């Protein structure tokens, strides 16, 4: 049966104190709404709709770059969660199956939890609500059960003291029969303490319409929403804690897990070792058998097995590191393919480059890739030996088995097997240094007298 997704993200997020719409604040380098979408990715939703309002232009732009297939609908006035869902009516026309409503600021709902909700739908409920036992129920909506069945939801503002004493709270996530959702939404009014159209009233509406309703529960940690910067920081910490546990569980060695920071999409294979204080930006894949040494920073890079990166290395987007490559300390790579067994061990910049297998780049090798306007490529052949402190002024190529003399500024292509020397020839002036220093010292002593 088809699954669809409506993510609510029109709210102002006032408590973030930010010009950026709340759902664009990031956890592990991905906007909050991307995490919400990720919870449901396992269910391969057919239609995915984001309801935007505050900062809709910025949300649209971010959505296009992260997920071009996402359908954005606009709720121009925030008149409540049911009103927000109603904005998705056209985008959902003719849809059948299950539709989930998630909040864009709630990043941690687990796929297993959503699957349990789908199961409750299969068991006959038209509306399934995700609840949780709250340690401190505060101002959450309360789930009211009768004979073990979900009867209705009451918002805190509208609840009696007795209802407020209920600790089973509403997470906000619902799963509904796609063919009945909007008909039920139409039954919802705004005669309540906030004058808003509450999505929570869909439970009572479903019961009136003779549909079954059910509550599924999850751990409170999953329903954590982000409303403030402090909660954003807590969400980041929670994400990292989970990512570290997941990596350890998947056979990755982390010598100091609490110092390693993953991105939302970091992929690390079994038998990778990650030393302390390693930071992953987006788009990194580390293959089995690689070692990432301490204090390295990686982003948009693939590292193959047997490679050793760092300590203190920086891999930037477009880096592709083949088997057994060595990238040493204070080496920066960008848009660079480095083939099997090549070595870039010390103090280098390798950008817009292809480095052949088993090539060796000496300390201080720099690809001068940028002329102030355009970027140019450097190609180095297999087995080449680049002398220390070589400047490779791109576009330029060094052939296979070729060498450059250290200190060279290489501006012309170097043929296979050749040696390029591109620096001033050395002269030795016999006795010059002593005579020169004697003269300076004599001049200094004369001044003192
Ligand atoms: C909502 C629930 C409450 C639940 C709580 C869990 C309702 C009426 N109440 O309350 O039962 O315990 O979440 O956190 O649903 N939004 C829109 N448009 C609107 C209003 C809200 O897009 O017009 C979005 C917000 O951006 C947010 C989400 O819906 O992502 C929830 O809205 P919010 O106002 O925070 O609901 P709560 O009052 O917290
Ligand atoms: Ca809220």
């Amino acid at each position: 049966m088809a699954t669809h997704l409506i993510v609510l993200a029109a709210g102002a997020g006032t408590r973030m104190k930010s010009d950026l719409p709340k759902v664009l604040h990031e956890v592990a380098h991905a906007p909050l709404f991307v995490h919400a979408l990720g919870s449901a990715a396992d269910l391969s939703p057919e239609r995915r709709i984001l309801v935007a309002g505050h900062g809709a232009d910025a949300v649209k732009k971010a959505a296009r770059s992260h997920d071009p297939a996402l359908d954005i609908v606009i709720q121009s006035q925030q008149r409540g969660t049911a009103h927000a869902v109603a904005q998705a009516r056209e985008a959902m026309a003719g849809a059948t199956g299950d539709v989930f409503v998630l909040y864009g600021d709630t990043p941690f709902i687990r796929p297993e939890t959503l699957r349990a909700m789908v199961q409750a739908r299969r068991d006959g409920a038209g509306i399934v609500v995700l609840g949780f036992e709250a340690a401190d129920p505060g101002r959450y909506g309360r789930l009211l059960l009768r004979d073990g069945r979900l009867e209705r939801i009451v918002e805190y503002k509208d609840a009696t003291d007795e209802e407020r004493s209920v600790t089973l709270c509403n997470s906000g996530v619902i799963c509904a029969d796609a063919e009945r959702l909007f008909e039920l939404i139409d039954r919802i009014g705004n005669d309540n303490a906030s004058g808003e159209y509450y999505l929570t009233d869909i439970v009572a509406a479903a019961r009136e319409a003779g549909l079954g309703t059910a509550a599924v529960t999850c751990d409170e940690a999953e329903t954590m929403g982000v409303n403030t910067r402090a909660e954003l920081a807590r969400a980041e910490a929670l994400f990292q804690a989970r990512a570290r546990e997941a990596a350890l569980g998947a056979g990755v060695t982390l010598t100091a897990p609490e110092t390693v920071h993953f991105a939302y999409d970091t992929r690390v294979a079994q038998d990778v070792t990650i030393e302390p204080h390693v930071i992953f930006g987006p788009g990194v894949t580390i293959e089995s058998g690689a070692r990432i040494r301490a204090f390295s920073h990686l982003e948009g890079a693939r590292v193959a097995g047997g490679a050793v990166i760092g300590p203190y290395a920086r891999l930037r987007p477009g880096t592709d590191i083949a088997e057994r490559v060595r990238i040493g300390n204070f080496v920066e790579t960008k848009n660079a393919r480095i083939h099997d067994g090549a070595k870039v061990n010390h103090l280098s910049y390798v950008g817009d480059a292809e480095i052949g297998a088993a090539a060796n780049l000496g300390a201080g090798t720099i690809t001068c890739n940028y002329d102030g306007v355009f970027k140019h490529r450097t190609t180095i052949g297999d087995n080449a030996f680049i002398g220390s402190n070589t400047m490779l002024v791109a576009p330029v190529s060094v052939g296979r088995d070729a060498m450059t003399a250290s200190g060279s500024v290489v501006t012309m292509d170097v043929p296979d097997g050749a040696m390029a020397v591109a620096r001033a020839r050395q002269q030795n002036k016999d006795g010059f240094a002593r005579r020169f220093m004697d003269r300076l010292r004599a001049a200094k002593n004369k001044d003192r007298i």
Side-chain angles (χ1 to χ4, degrees):
M1 202 177 276
T3 304
H4 314 279
L5 199 58
I6 300 174
V7 177
L8 304 190
T14 325
R15 287 185 286 155
M16 292 299 283
K17 299 202 174 129
S18 176
D19 291 337
L20 196 65
K22 179 161 78 175
V23 289
L24 297 190
H25 284 268
E26 294 188 345
V27 165
H29 297 281
L32 286 168
F33 79 84
V34 171
H35 291 271
L37 292 168
S39 306
D42 261 22
L43 300 168
S44 312
E46 201 176 285
R47 302 191 197 185
R48 287 169 306 133
I49 300 153
L50 185 83
V51 182
H54 277 275
D57 289 342
V59 172
K60 262 189 196 164
K61 202 169 150 222
R64 259 197 295 273
S65 80
H66 269 273
D67 191 347
L70 195 61
D71 197 351
I72 312 279
V73 301
I74 305 294
Q75 184 196 27
S76 37
Q77 275 185 311
Q78 279 68 65
R79 299 168 66 193
T81 43
H83 180 256
V85 172
Q87 310 311 307
R89 188 189 308 262
E90 255 178 63
M92 284 291 291
T96 60
D98 304 316
V99 51
F100 277 97
V101 176
L102 303 177
Y103 291 167
D105 63 359
T106 305
F108 295 123
I109 307 284
R110 289 183 315 143
E112 296 84 326
T113 300
L114 299 185
R115 278 201 295 273
M117 294 176 74
V118 169
Q119 189 51 49
R121 285 264 301 123
R122 294 297 94 82
D123 295 343
I127 297 286
V128 182
V129 173
L130 182 62
F132 62 102
E133 278 297 334
D136 170 17
R139 302 182 65 82
Y140 286 118
R142 305 296 206 267
L143 302 193
L144 304 180
L145 308 182
R146 183 186 291 174
D147 306 328
R149 292 190 329 189
L150 181 62
E151 188 75 12
R152 64 189 176 93
I153 305 178
V154 62
E155 285 304 285
Y156 178 82
K157 278 188 188 173
D158 302 290
T160 62
D161 284 347
E162 191 186 339
E163 288 165 343
R164 286 179 182 181
S165 71
V166 170
T167 53
L168 182 61
C169 290
N170 177 28
S171 69
V173 178
I174 68 162
C175 180
D177 179 344
E179 291 173 81
R180 306 295 298 270
L181 175 66
F182 294 98
E183 151 204 342
L184 297 175
I185 292 272
D186 286 341
R187 291 169 174 253
I188 295 174
N190 65 346
D191 181 16
N192 54 51
S194 308
E196 286 189 1
Y197 295 88
Y198 291 160
L199 181 59
T200 45
D201 285 347
I202 201 167
V203 173
R207 297 207 73 85
E208 273 167 34
L211 283 176
T213 56
V216 163
T217 55
C218 70
D219 200 79
E220 184 166 4
E222 281 183 55
T223 71
M224 175 192 179
V226 174
N227 299 296
T228 62
R229 305 273 182 162
E231 284 170 357
L232 186 67
R234 238 175 282 148
E236 180 73 38
L238 185 58
F239 178 94
Q240 295 302 339
R242 285 186 178 191
R244 291 165 192 147
E245 282 304 312
L248 293 167
V252 176
T253 294
L254 304 176
T255 46
E258 64 287 358
T259 67
V260 175
H261 293 256
F262 293 100
Y264 70 105
D265 62 349
T266 307
R267 285 159 49 194
V268 183
Q270 182 180 312
D271 290 319
V272 165
T273 296
I274 302 176
E275 293 184 6
H277 298 284
V278 170
I279 311 288
F280 293 97
V284 176
T285 300
I286 312 290
E287 294 174 4
S288 187
R291 183 178 193 95
I292 312 299
R293 303 208 52 203
F295 296 101
S296 293
H297 189 288
L298 297 84
E299 180 177 359
R302 177 191 78 106
V303 177
V308 180
I309 307 299
Y312 297 99
R314 175 156 186 227
L315 307 189
R316 291 175 52 208
T319 295
D320 188 275
I321 303 285
E323 284 78 8
R324 290 172 293 280
V325 163
R326 290 282 186 278
I327 302 291
N329 40 252
F330 307 108
V331 171
E332 173 181 343
T333 65
K334 187 217 71 175
N335 191 21
R337 280 191 74 145
I338 305 189
H339 291 276
D340 199 339
K343 294 192 177 104
V344 192
N345 270 333
H346 333 268
L347 301 162
S348 288
Y349 173 65
V350 180
D352 301 309
E354 176 130 15
I355 310 297
N360 189 320
L361 274 57
T365 297
I366 306 278
T367 55
C368 309
N369 61 328
Y370 186 47
D371 58 17
V373 179
F374 296 105
K375 299 283 174 67
H376 301 283
R377 291 191 63 77
T378 300
T379 309
I380 294 175
D382 293 352
N383 232 16
F385 185 95
I386 306 300
S388 294
N389 199 32
T390 295
M391 301 294 118
L392 297 155
V393 182
V396 74
S397 70
V398 176
R400 55 187 307 151
D401 304 316
M403 294 176 84
T404 69
S406 54
S408 288
V409 178
V410 177
T411 56
M412 294 184 304
D413 290 351
V414 182
D416 289 355
M419 165 70 146
V421 186
R423 63 183 188 212
R425 180 177 290 278
Q426 181 172 335
Q427 282 181 51
N428 290 338
K429 299 184 177 180
D430 283 335
F432 180 94
R434 280 202 191 101
R435 286 197 303 278
F436 181 68
M437 292 309 287
D438 287 349
R439 212 163 63 225
L440 292 180
R441 285 189 191 106
K444 189 175 178 186
N445 288 337
K446 205 170 100 197
D447 281 353
R448 273 196 194 142
I449 293 163

